[in-house]
Amino acid sequence: MRKNQLKQKLQQGEVVLGLFTNCAYPAFIEICGHAGFDFVVIDLEHGPLHPLVAEDLCRAADCVGLSPIVRVRKNDAPQIQRALDIGSAGVQVPQIETLADALAVVRGAKYSPLGERGLSFYTRAGVYSSAGTQITDQLNEESMVVVHVEGKRGVDNLAEIVSVPHIDVIFLGPYDLSQSLGIPGQVQDPRVIELMQNAVGTIRNAGKAVGTFADNPQTAKQWIDAGVQYIALGVDVGVFLRACQTLLKAVRG
């Protein structure tokens, strides 16, 4: 099986750039790869996508050297297992608030002895049984685990969450963090910024990579300068909308 290039880049301290995708058309994933993105988050939480579609999007990503990460709807072992069984580079799990939540993610994402992920070799991840029974160790090593800390309770428990082994990225969700502070959508409010800056320090001191969402270049650069390595630069439908608006404005004035 292939080495997880995204995981290697993060371990080497590189900044990686990605995009959330809600579109089911595999060509959009290929375009992201040709554009130079490092990863794409196939969104099964907020988007309308189905796991069967997500599997084809993973294939499209593999064709262009793009790392496909699948975001599940919730911290649920069967959903985590399926997100990895379809051959993704990793799973992204929302709304992690406690030590118990973080431990549950790892149990669902890793095979024994690291976790309790259900075992079948007859999957895309298992190369449809052609890779042999030793592949579980390789999958444990190569698969990525990304957890969202996106509420004040999660930030309050961050010191415990970052202590959990085999979590690669702690993703700070600015929009849900703003909502948890009673100021929904105000992601540039000083209270949100301060909360995230403190969290970045805690995560990096624990030796884990930090991720976040940035829907404009200025915000992305701000968080890269603060030490964030894993940046999602918006959502495919939003990128397309802004491109259309810019094109029409240029013609119509």
Side-chain angles (χ1 to χ4, degrees):
M1 63 176 293
R2 298 178 184 176
K3 286 286 185 181
N4 190 330
Q5 295 182 354
L6 183 65
K7 191 168 186 175
Q8 288 181 331
K9 289 177 181 178
L10 289 170
Q11 290 171 342
Q12 292 164 3
E14 296 182 35
V15 172
V16 295
L17 303 177
L19 195 70
F20 281 90
T21 183
N22 288 350
C23 293
Y25 188 36
F28 274 78
I29 300 292
E30 291 181 309
I31 290 166
C32 287
H34 291 307
F37 281 102
D38 299 291
F39 68 95
V40 64
V41 182
I42 299 167
D43 195 357
L44 303 187
E45 182 190 10
H46 289 298
L49 300 177
H50 182 278
L52 190 60
V53 172
E55 185 175 55
D56 281 340
L57 298 183
C58 287
R59 290 188 176 98
D62 287 344
C63 287
V64 288
L66 186 67
S67 295
I69 304 294
V70 176
R71 179 164 72 170
V72 295
R73 292 177 60 195
K74 63 178 181 177
N75 188 2
D76 174 70
Q79 290 187 40
I80 293 169
Q81 174 184 306
R82 175 171 282 184
L84 293 167
D85 279 352
I86 63 176
S88 66
V91 64
Q92 195 154 319
V93 183
Q95 300 294 343
I96 301 306
E97 297 186 332
T98 66
L99 174 64
D101 289 344
L103 290 169
V105 173
V106 174
R107 279 199 307 273
K110 300 296 183 182
Y111 294 112
S112 178
L114 305 182
E116 300 172 0
R117 176 179 165 185
L119 178 58
S120 171
F121 298 109
Y122 299 93
T123 63
R124 185 166 184 265
V127 201
Y128 308 107
S129 78
S130 68
T133 59
Q134 299 305 311
I135 197 172
T136 55
D137 289 339
Q138 291 177 277
L139 290 170
N140 275 349
E141 177 67 25
E142 298 299 332
S143 63
M144 274 183 58
V145 176
V146 182
V147 300
H148 282 235
V149 172
E150 47 193 346
K152 190 174 184 306
R153 186 183 179 205
V155 173
D156 290 343
N157 292 321
L158 191 56
E160 292 184 337
I161 292 170
V162 298
S163 72
V164 176
H166 313 301
I167 291 175
D168 301 288
V169 179
I170 309 286
F171 189 94
L172 302 171
Y175 282 93
D176 280 316
L177 282 170
S178 72
Q179 182 165 251
S180 76
L181 294 174
I183 46 174
Q186 299 179 44
V187 295
Q188 292 300 323
D189 186 282
R191 289 166 287 180
V192 177
I193 300 296
E194 182 181 8
L195 195 69
M196 289 183 61
Q197 287 174 335
N198 292 336
V200 169
T202 300
I203 297 164
R204 287 179 60 83
N205 288 339
K208 297 189 186 297
V210 190
T212 196
F213 178 88
D215 53 9
N216 64 74
Q218 295 74 28
T219 300
K221 291 176 181 178
Q222 167 192 332
W223 287 117
I224 290 170
D225 290 342
V228 177
Q229 286 180 257
Y230 178 100
I231 303 273
L233 295 174
V235 184
D236 56 1
V237 291
V239 171
F240 182 62
L241 171 66
R242 287 192 294 273
C244 289
Q245 290 172 330
T246 300
L247 179 63
L248 289 170
K249 185 177 180 180
V251 174
R252 290 176 175 167

